[in-house]
Amino acid sequence: MPKEKIVVVDDDEYMREGLVETLDSPEFSVVSFDNAAAALDEISDGSASILLTDLRMPEMDGMELLAQVKRLDPKLPVVMMTAFATIETAVEAMKKGAFDYIMKPFKAEEIDVVVTKALEYRRLVAENEYLRKELGKKFSLSDFIGDCAEMKGLFEKIRQIAPSTATVFIRGESGTGKELVARAIHSQSPRRDKPMVRVNCAALSAGVLESELFGHERGAFTGADKRRIGRFEMADGGTIFLDEVSEMDLALQGKLLRVLQEKEFERVGSSETISANVRILASSNRDMEKAIEEGSFRQDLYYRLNVVNVELIPLRRRKGDIRALVKHFIEKYNREEGSRVKGISDEALAMLENYDWPGNVRELENIIERAIVLGTGERIETGNISAGLEKVPGRPQEKGAATFEPRPLEDVEREHVMLMLSYNQDHRQQTAQALGISERSLRDRLNRWREAGLIE
Ligand SMILES: Nc1ncnc2c1ncn2[C@@H]1O[C@H](COP(=O)(O)OP(=O)(O)OP(=O)(O)O)[C@@H](O)[C@H]1O
Ligand SMILES: [Mg+2]
């Protein structure tokens, strides 16, 4: 294994020699410098594992060096070495991102402990980064199948909205690919290296969901024996996906609304306000207008969530995609099961294309998976799939199934304007400029929509 490189900066020659002597070992190589500029040069190639620096030095001091390192190699742990008189500066350095500080004079064991800790930290960071990359790899846009005009339009829309922080509401029947849309948006956004945290709002009771979302303090309720970080905090810098958000209870909807408005929340049982930089995606397979009418979903929250609306059409209305989906799932399950199914017979494909798909793409995926796991032949035949199709009676076919949803131009315009507003962080002048209209014209539109109850 290559040695870990420790870079030491101190204008005091005696200190430098002492450190080299203490730390030099089969595990570590130590390089030392009497000035910060030379040390910066040394770490610029990313080969250093730790930087130990004196705080007070002529020319560039430790704080300035720290700031430069944060730009050059933000993951490099920096340890400040300081005399008692400058302890406050050391605390300041920690705030600015130093890994730790150590007070002079120190014993060999003390510096050993700090160095070991810093190395451990660096390994963890590297490991996390690796894991995140691996996780990211799992989703690839090429796994998102759709050749019909609507799906192509959807991919284009995803591409457009992904880079912004706009809140997106994803609608569609069960199994149409809502979660896939959320992953696609996150993976194409600048937040892709940060986590996307999913919360299934339908699966948890109101109380549990609240502490799941916002975290709780120790002792906040019976059984809360440890402080717990919520999903919003976990998603900091990344994306949170509120799956089945329509199932959230009304009281919690109010709390969520506040988070959306103020970007702040409190852990359960705490009065400390926490802010998190999180992009919000939400989904539902319910008719939201109806839920609002019935009073089970807050209208103001819906407007906040529905800045951009993405709608997935049911599979029965895009049967032209069935062939490509079948091919995709055959390849997927061949890989997973180590089988060698080559394709599907024309009769079997026709059978799939005549079916109504109440469970949408998920149902189709399950049927292909079962056919591959249980099948023995080279091709999928009608016999491999008919059992699955019979279990769920098809609905009456929609005649001449419309493949295009007519929409009023004004809806499209409103959606675009709201997206641009959100993109420009509600800055009206910038938004108007980007839209090529006057500020006044933007204001008139917003007023009109607000009066009509179309926006908040
Ligand atoms: N266009 C597609 N291309 C490839 N796979 C798809 C597509 N749409 C859906 N799938 C697959 O179908 C399954 C269901 O998709 P997903 O979980 O995204 O649906 P959903 O809309 O969130 O469903 P639910 O409402 O039941 O949660 C997943 O395994 C997903 O990978
Ligand atoms: Mg889902």
Side-chain angles (χ1 to χ4, degrees):
M1 236 175 67
K3 288 188 176 188
E4 305 261 16
K5 181 155 88 188
I6 301 176
V7 179
V8 172
V9 200
D10 202 310
D11 55 328
D12 179 347
E13 191 187 342
Y14 177 74
M15 271 303 294
R16 289 201 304 276
E17 280 176 2
L19 277 166
V20 172
E21 201 170 300
T22 315
L23 294 170
D24 201 39
S25 70
E27 281 169 90
F28 308 136
S29 66
V30 187
V31 268
S32 69
F33 301 94
D34 63 1
N35 69 86
L40 267 180
D41 203 41
E42 178 71 27
I43 65 171
S44 62
D45 65 356
S47 65
S49 296
I50 309 180
L51 173 67
L52 299 175
T53 177
D54 188 17
L55 205 44
R56 279 197 188 164
M57 291 180 287
E59 290 162 47
M60 195 193 302
D61 70 1
M63 291 299 279
E64 174 58 24
L65 176 60
L66 173 67
Q68 301 257 11
V69 170
K70 286 283 143 199
R71 273 195 292 271
L72 207 63
D73 184 1
K75 290 184 285 283
L76 179 70
V78 177
V79 176
M80 293 287 181
M81 302 181 291
T82 173
F84 183 66
T86 51
I87 181 93
E88 272 165 25
T89 328
V91 173
E92 187 60 32
M94 297 287 290
K95 283 194 196 145
K96 296 245 162 78
F99 174 75
D100 206 347
Y101 67 88
I102 186 163
M103 259 185 315
K104 294 179 186 176
F106 43 77
K107 298 197 189 92
E109 297 91 273
E110 287 177 82
I111 192 81
D112 266 346
V113 169
V114 174
V115 165
T116 312
K117 247 190 357 189
L119 279 177
E120 180 75 357
Y121 165 81
R122 198 179 155 84
R123 266 183 219 123
L124 276 175
V125 170
E127 207 173 277
N128 265 334
E129 205 175 3
Y130 169 77
L131 283 175
R132 242 193 328 252
K133 278 206 189 116
E134 283 300 296
L135 271 176
K137 262 194 218 152
K138 268 189 165 167
F139 179 84
S140 149
L141 266 189
S142 59
D143 291 338
F144 204 166
I145 308 295
D147 283 331
C148 63
E150 287 85 353
M151 290 301 280
K152 283 193 176 140
L154 175 80
F155 296 150
E156 175 57 23
K157 190 168 187 179
I158 291 175
R159 205 179 57 74
Q160 279 175 3
I161 62 183
S164 81
T165 53
T167 302
V168 182
F169 199 90
I170 309 161
R171 300 193 193 213
E173 288 180 13
S174 177
T176 44
K178 295 186 290 298
E179 191 169 339
L180 226 47
V181 170
R183 293 199 183 286
I185 293 174
H186 177 72
S187 76
Q188 285 184 278
S189 79
R191 297 167 174 256
R192 70 176 73 89
D193 292 331
K194 293 283 168 62
M196 175 173 123
V197 178
R198 173 176 168 259
V199 189
N200 185 348
C201 304
L204 304 166
S205 69
V208 177
L209 183 57
E210 178 172 6
S211 89
E212 198 64 40
L213 284 174
F214 306 125
H216 62 244
E217 291 299 324
R218 194 175 156 196
F221 48 83
T222 327
D225 53 349
K226 275 197 204 106
R227 166 194 258 202
R228 182 155 173 208
I229 296 227
R231 304 275 173 108
F232 265 97
E233 270 177 272
M234 284 182 201
D236 197 16
T239 306
I240 196 163
F241 175 39
L242 304 171
D243 207 358
E244 315 273 353
V245 74
S246 49
E247 307 311 305
M248 190 180 273
D249 95 324
L250 275 167
L252 200 50
Q253 286 178 28
K255 292 187 181 163
L256 179 61
L257 181 64
R258 201 193 127 215
V259 181
L260 265 77
Q261 281 165 340
E262 286 156 35
K263 313 250 178 292
E264 280 178 358
F265 56 90
E266 285 99 32
R267 295 197 188 110
V268 179
S270 159
S271 54
E272 186 200 346
T273 301
I274 300 171
S275 62
N277 164 12
V278 177
R279 188 206 194 151
I280 298 175
L281 308 177
S283 88
S284 169
N285 55 24
R286 276 184 48 191
D287 179 344
M288 294 306 288
E289 280 70 26
K290 201 157 146 234
I292 291 167
E293 217 168 276
E294 289 167 359
S296 65
F297 204 82
R298 292 179 64 134
Q299 185 166 35
D300 45 8
L301 176 59
Y302 181 59
Y303 287 145
R304 278 275 167 182
L305 291 173
N306 196 28
V307 177
V308 183
N309 186 343
V310 170
E311 180 117 27
L312 281 152
I313 60 171
L315 187 56
R316 64 182 167 280
R317 280 180 34 207
R318 52 180 186 105
K319 288 188 172 174
D321 282 350
I322 290 180
R323 180 189 289 272
L325 282 164
V326 167
K327 181 168 178 279
H328 172 72
F329 292 134
I330 290 178
E331 283 162 10
K332 175 175 173 186
Y333 288 102
N334 270 342
R335 257 195 321 272
E336 275 180 27
E337 302 295 328
S339 49
R340 288 205 187 120
V341 174
K342 290 214 173 78
I344 183 164
S345 72
D346 290 344
E347 298 75 29
L349 183 64
M351 198 174 199
L352 296 177
E353 283 174 342
N354 279 320
Y355 183 63
D356 200 34
W357 302 111
N360 292 296
V361 183
R362 176 178 292 115
E363 187 183 2
L364 175 61
E365 177 168 359
N366 289 343
I367 281 172
I368 300 298
E369 180 183 8
R370 198 161 36 209
I372 288 185
V373 173
L374 301 176
T376 46
E378 271 201 339
R379 279 193 320 175
I380 297 177
E381 304 287 348
T382 50
N384 304 120
I385 56 174
S386 51
L389 298 183
E390 274 159 14
K391 258 189 221 138
V392 198
R395 295 181 211 171
Q397 290 280 312
E398 279 171 49
K399 260 201 239 119
T403 49
F404 177 73
E405 189 117 45
R407 295 181 70 201
L409 185 57
E410 174 132 10
D411 284 1
V412 180
E413 178 185 306
R414 189 177 62 248
E415 196 173 279
H416 184 62
V417 169
M418 296 315 283
L419 171 64
M420 291 308 285
L421 253 181
S422 159
Y423 189 80
N424 290 299
Q425 273 130 25
D426 288 334
H427 196 291
R428 291 205 183 172
Q429 195 192 340
Q430 273 173 25
T431 307
Q433 208 170 6
L435 291 167
I437 57 175
S438 67
E439 262 186 88
R440 185 191 169 134
S441 159
L442 173 63
R443 196 175 51 234
D444 288 348
R445 280 180 169 80
L446 294 174
N447 287 340
R448 190 170 72 230
W449 293 330
R450 197 168 296 119
E451 273 160 26
L454 292 164
I455 59 171
E456 225 187 299

